[in-house]
Amino acid sequence: MRKLTLDDFKNYKFLSGIEHSPDGRHVGFVVHEADMEENKYRSNLYLAEVATRKIRKLTTFDKESSFKWQDDEHLVFATIRDPKDKEAAESHKEFTQLYRINIHGGEADKYLRLKKSLGSFDFLAGGDVLATCAFDLNAKDQLNLSETELSDELKRLKEEEDYEVLEEIPFWSNGGGFTSKKRSRLCRFDAQGTFQGYLTGEYTNVESVKLNEEKNKAVLVSSTFQDKEELLNELSYFDGETVRVLDTPGLTISFADFLDKDTLIFTATDMKKLGLNENGKFYTYDLLTDTLALITPDLDQSLYNSVGSDARYGGSKTRVVDGGELYFTTTLGTNAELWKVNREGVLRPVITEEGSVDGVSVKNGHVAYIAMKNTTLQELYFLEAPALPVSSFNTWVQEEIQLSLPEPLKLTLDDGTVIDGFVLKPVDYTEGKTWPVLLEIHGGPKTVYGSVFYHELQLFAAQGYYVVFCNPRGSDGKGNDFSDIRGKYGTIDYEDLMNFTDLALFTYPDMDLSNLFVTGGSYGGFMTNWIIGHTNRFKAAVSQRSISNWISMFNTTDIGYYFADDQNASSPWDNHAKMWWHSPLKYADQVVTPTLFIHSEEDYRCWLTEGLQMFTALKYHNVESRLCLFKGENHELSRSGKPKHRQRRLEEISGWFARYRTLKTADE
């Protein structure tokens, strides 16, 4: 077997979009893979037959990243294949071209051309299309324009590419670009693709839409705002003709579906106790009586998958209703499990294996899911034989590559709180010498490290490092109190990380105390910046997509105006001193650790100014530092960035640590 190489990720297969056919006989899903030559990802549709467990590829055009079942035998997806369509899209002309493919064979054909740019879509019972469509309050609606007017508008939009006018916050979103006065509206098309009208107002932004089992009604999660978007949003009901907002005051809703034809189930939080990171609870809404009910008042459990990995691409459903119960993923400890809840609020586990359930579909009791188990990459599984994957896209990794198995390590605090973590030994570990140590810090902060496959961590183990990673206070998986570090950033979480590092050094005596390195991204980037300003124990650091100044982060990033004040329990106006105290930039004059900064030009979550400020401060104080800026990338560089950019990022980190790393034998 060989060691993992930096660019092995180009051969991984990433699974997403899992969904049963209406009759439950087939499961459709998407397989993505990196194309290094074209510097992009190829995506195609696949089909698994439930009865035989056989898998076959449906498309070969490499552009099908999502789909909808139209009926038992047809999948429909939006894509641009025709060069004329590509030219029209580049001219700012609004349209969506749908293709349809029969699961029994043949290539996809052009199906419907809709004169709006769609986000999501689904088919109503009569064949009409219910969809979310892009709507720009600063542009003319192209639906109502004559050919001459449309030509003039397209010319104007082309000229406007050099300008952005901002009139509200947030004014941009990570991965979505500038968003000021742009909305996603619910609209309807007939079965021939003719626009029938908007169903929501011009200032309403539709976040999600879910049809009922009969496909004649829908539930919406949306927010309506001008000037400033608030955290509280709306639950709405589409009765087949019109949309009405339901009475759910004071809630932030993250998901909604039909539990039965007259009952909605949704997840929400009022944020009153623990702010925006407070775990949600389950609610029902009776459409006949307009009655809202909290069915899990005592629940303190994560309601989503927060297990981190850089070996995923694309998205999947993680909550689905079947048989009057809602199946959902939940993070418990270091694993993402599958549970279900009924209308009485009774919760039961469904899949509790070590690893991460990344996507799920349930139909007539049959559970299909995408998962990463232990150190394996994603595969398709059916619940009736969970130990046997249906697919084998990534089995070559275990067959060809020598991996380091995560060894659990637990730090117990004085009050009994347990900090979970892991250690990867160097792949070529032998006794008789000491080994350099890399501390990796996750983002969030409300995410977790688990035992699942992580390319970056395995890479450094292959390069001869002990890799140490843990879930300090602020992480997910252990309830609200554990994850609540509002106003405490850089205090108890910093202590947990340093104490866990000390525990690892004590537990593994051949770790080289004089050869410590540290890196992290997002919250992990903040913490890397914080660490180098508070200790000199690390020989080199890599700070990625970081926060350095809470005051500038508040006023420039897509989430800053509500995240920064919530997490710091202060704002630039009511407690400027506290925000500055928690800012790593305040302590930059104390840094001596050589530091590489990695940032993306279009990272609007932790904007470029955060990395630039810290880099400038270190240069000003004569600290060895370097900044690598990735053009055209955003906050997701390490997870879904262009393949060549992901490779360059790993080259930068590896090269920076190698510059300062020294190798020793045990008797030196």
Side-chain angles (χ1 to χ4, degrees):
M1 298 180 77
R2 63 177 178 85
K3 291 184 182 180
L4 185 79
T5 62
L6 186 146
D7 64 347
D8 267 324
F9 78 89
K10 72 180 185 297
N11 297 316
Y12 300 157
K13 301 295 191 297
F14 311 103
L15 281 59
S16 72
I18 181 172
E19 187 173 353
H20 279 87
S21 59
D23 61 9
R25 296 174 60 187
H26 297 92
V27 175
F29 60 101
V30 185
V31 176
H32 316 266
E33 57 186 317
D35 183 334
M36 299 300 290
E37 184 175 342
E38 297 291 330
N39 200 23
K40 64 180 183 181
Y41 294 90
R42 300 195 302 267
S43 304
N44 287 289
L45 306 185
Y46 281 71
L47 192 73
E49 188 174 5
V50 171
T52 65
R53 297 170 63 91
K54 291 182 178 180
I55 291 178
R56 53 191 172 90
K57 190 175 184 179
L58 284 182
T59 64
T60 59
F61 210 77
D62 297 337
K63 292 186 177 181
E64 294 74 52
S65 58
S66 63
F67 66 91
K68 292 299 298 184
W69 284 96
Q70 185 182 29
D71 52 41
D72 294 335
E73 298 185 343
H74 293 93
L75 297 176
V76 177
F77 54 89
T79 190
I80 292 179
R81 293 184 172 185
D82 192 323
K84 291 182 179 180
D85 287 345
K86 182 179 180 181
E87 181 180 347
E90 291 173 347
S91 73
H92 298 283
K93 192 170 185 179
E94 285 193 275
F95 73 95
T96 299
Q97 180 62 56
L98 298 181
Y99 284 74
R100 183 170 66 171
I101 189 170
N102 190 298
I103 64 172
H104 299 299
E107 189 48 89
D109 296 319
K110 278 191 173 182
Y111 177 53
L112 290 177
R113 188 179 182 87
L114 311 175
K115 293 184 178 180
K116 292 295 293 182
S117 297
L118 302 190
S120 63
F121 69 92
D122 209 338
F123 295 96
L124 293 167
D128 284 9
V129 178
L130 191 68
T132 57
C133 58
F135 185 81
D136 189 345
L137 286 153
N138 292 315
K140 294 181 179 179
D141 195 334
Q142 296 181 16
L143 287 168
N144 303 319
L145 302 181
S146 65
E147 288 299 322
T148 300
E149 291 171 330
L150 177 59
S151 178
D152 290 343
E153 176 65 3
L154 294 179
K155 182 179 179 181
R156 186 190 72 83
L157 291 173
K158 194 71 176 176
E159 293 173 348
E160 284 292 310
E161 288 179 348
D162 289 342
Y163 315 97
E164 287 291 343
V165 178
L166 310 180
E167 297 183 87
E168 61 186 21
I169 56 173
F171 47 79
W172 56 18
S173 69
N174 185 67
F178 286 93
T179 59
S180 180
K181 286 200 167 181
K182 294 178 181 178
R183 301 292 190 267
S184 176
R185 298 181 69 178
L186 188 68
C187 55
R188 184 172 186 164
F189 300 83
D190 66 20
Q192 288 71 48
T194 303
F195 183 76
Q196 299 296 296
Y198 296 109
L199 298 168
T200 52
E202 59 183 12
Y203 282 97
T204 295
N205 190 62
V206 178
E207 301 166 18
S208 66
V209 182
K210 188 68 174 68
L211 292 182
N212 63 353
E213 186 73 20
E214 295 76 22
K215 291 192 176 292
N216 58 4
K217 297 178 174 61
V219 58
L220 287 64
V221 178
S222 61
S223 58
T224 302
F225 66 97
Q226 296 184 50
D227 298 321
K228 182 177 73 171
E229 184 176 17
E230 303 291 350
L231 288 177
L232 302 180
N233 54 9
E234 307 159 339
L235 187 69
S236 300
Y237 172 60
F238 170 64
D239 63 6
E241 297 294 333
T242 60
V243 173
R244 68 181 176 97
V245 178
L246 304 178
D247 188 17
T248 57
L251 295 176
T252 294
I253 301 166
S254 58
F255 166 85
D257 200 350
F258 287 85
L259 197 57
D260 58 41
K261 65 185 182 66
D262 297 318
T263 309
L264 304 178
I265 186 167
F266 64 97
T267 56
T269 173
D270 60 14
M271 301 181 295
K272 290 181 178 179
K273 182 180 179 182
L274 296 170
L276 62 87
N277 273 344
E278 184 174 332
N279 286 328
K281 299 182 186 299
F282 289 105
Y283 293 77
T284 59
Y285 192 97
D286 190 315
L287 293 168
L288 297 178
T289 62
D290 281 328
T291 303
L292 175 69
L294 171 60
I295 61 172
T296 56
D298 300 320
L299 181 64
D300 182 11
Q301 184 174 322
S302 173
L303 300 184
Y304 54 89
N305 180 349
S306 56
V307 175
S309 175
D310 57 0
R312 302 184 180 109
Y313 186 85
S316 295
K317 293 178 181 177
T318 56
R319 300 166 184 173
V320 60
V321 170
D322 183 74
E325 295 180 300
L326 172 66
Y327 293 74
F328 65 97
T329 57
T330 176
T331 301
L332 294 174
T334 59
N335 302 310
E337 303 178 355
L338 183 67
W339 286 51
K340 61 182 178 181
V341 60
N342 63 16
R343 68 181 60 250
E344 287 77 31
V346 177
L347 292 93
R348 288 180 291 172
V350 179
I351 299 171
T352 59
E353 298 172 301
E354 182 179 359
S356 170
V357 176
D358 292 347
V360 62
S361 180
V362 188
K363 190 69 176 180
N364 302 326
H366 182 265
V367 179
Y369 62 104
I370 296 167
M372 304 173 73
K373 299 189 178 186
N374 301 315
T375 55
T376 65
L377 280 87
Q378 288 181 325
E379 298 292 355
L380 174 67
Y381 293 85
F382 292 164
L383 184 59
E384 65 267 21
L388 302 173
V390 180
S391 64
S392 57
F393 293 106
N394 293 301
T395 54
W396 65 271
V397 175
Q398 275 67 35
E399 294 168 354
E400 297 179 13
I401 297 176
Q402 183 180 357
L403 300 176
S404 180
L405 298 180
E407 299 182 5
L409 185 64
K410 296 181 181 294
L411 169 68
T412 302
L413 306 182
D414 291 341
D415 64 357
T417 300
V418 176
I419 307 300
D420 295 318
F422 301 88
V423 172
L424 295 180
K425 281 184 176 178
V427 167
D428 54 359
Y429 172 81
T430 56
E431 295 181 355
K433 66 184 248 184
T434 56
W435 301 83
V437 183
L438 173 59
L439 173 64
E440 287 262 2
I441 308 171
H442 67 60
K446 199 181 176 185
T447 61
V448 300
Y449 279 125
S451 61
V452 300
F453 185 93
Y454 216 118
H455 177 76
E456 178 179 328
L457 307 189
Q458 288 290 341
L459 173 64
F460 284 108
Q463 291 182 353
Y465 293 85
Y466 266 107
V467 184
V468 178
F469 49 107
C470 70
N471 301 317
R473 281 170 288 183
S475 303
D476 201 5
K478 291 195 170 185
N480 280 316
D481 290 340
F482 186 88
S483 66
D484 183 23
I485 58 169
R486 292 173 301 161
K488 301 175 183 178
Y489 276 58
T491 61
I492 59 174
D493 48 352
Y494 171 68
E495 294 171 3
D496 291 348
L497 288 164
M498 294 302 97
N499 289 334
F500 192 88
T501 301
D502 291 338
L503 175 63
L505 291 168
F506 175 79
T507 306
Y508 296 86
D510 47 8
M511 286 184 174
D512 187 353
L513 180 63
S514 65
N515 236 345
L516 301 182
F517 301 87
V518 61
T519 187
S522 195
Y523 165 77
F526 158 82
M527 187 52 69
T528 300
N529 290 343
W530 184 269
I531 285 170
I532 61 177
H534 288 77
T535 179
N536 301 332
R537 70 189 301 187
F538 294 93
K539 290 191 69 176
V542 179
S543 172
Q544 306 174 59
R545 57 188 189 279
S546 68
I547 297 170
S548 64
N549 183 347
W550 285 109
I551 299 167
S552 57
M553 190 269 184
F554 181 103
N555 290 289
T556 59
T557 72
D558 62 347
I559 65 172
Y561 69 94
Y562 60 83
F563 183 87
D565 65 343
D566 178 87
Q567 292 297 288
N568 284 279
S570 59
S571 77
W573 300 278
D574 64 23
N575 199 337
H576 182 280
K578 182 172 178 56
M579 295 201 87
W580 181 238
W581 189 92
H582 289 281
S583 297
L585 190 63
K586 171 180 168 63
Y587 310 96
D589 60 339
Q590 302 175 37
V591 177
V592 298
T593 307
T595 303
L596 166 67
F597 296 92
I598 290 178
H599 229 99
S600 296
E601 187 179 42
E602 298 174 12
D603 185 343
Y604 302 144
R605 185 62 39 82
C606 297
W607 193 37
L608 175 60
T609 183
E610 297 302 306
L612 288 174
Q613 289 179 87
M614 200 70 183
F615 169 72
T616 299
L618 266 59
K619 281 293 184 183
Y620 180 81
H621 290 98
N622 301 310
V623 179
E624 293 180 77
S625 51
R626 169 186 173 96
L627 189 148
C628 184
L629 172 63
F630 289 80
K631 297 182 178 180
E633 294 292 355
N634 60 46
H635 199 65
E636 302 303 310
L637 168 65
S638 65
R639 297 177 283 256
S640 60
K642 293 178 180 178
K644 287 184 179 180
H645 296 175
R646 292 176 66 177
Q647 179 173 325
R648 174 61 181 270
R649 169 185 166 272
L650 291 172
E651 289 171 350
E652 286 283 337
I653 300 172
S654 299
W656 187 256
F657 288 150
R659 181 187 302 186
Y660 299 97
R661 170 182 172 178
T662 56
L663 299 178
K664 299 179 181 180
T665 59
D667 55 359
E668 284 187 279

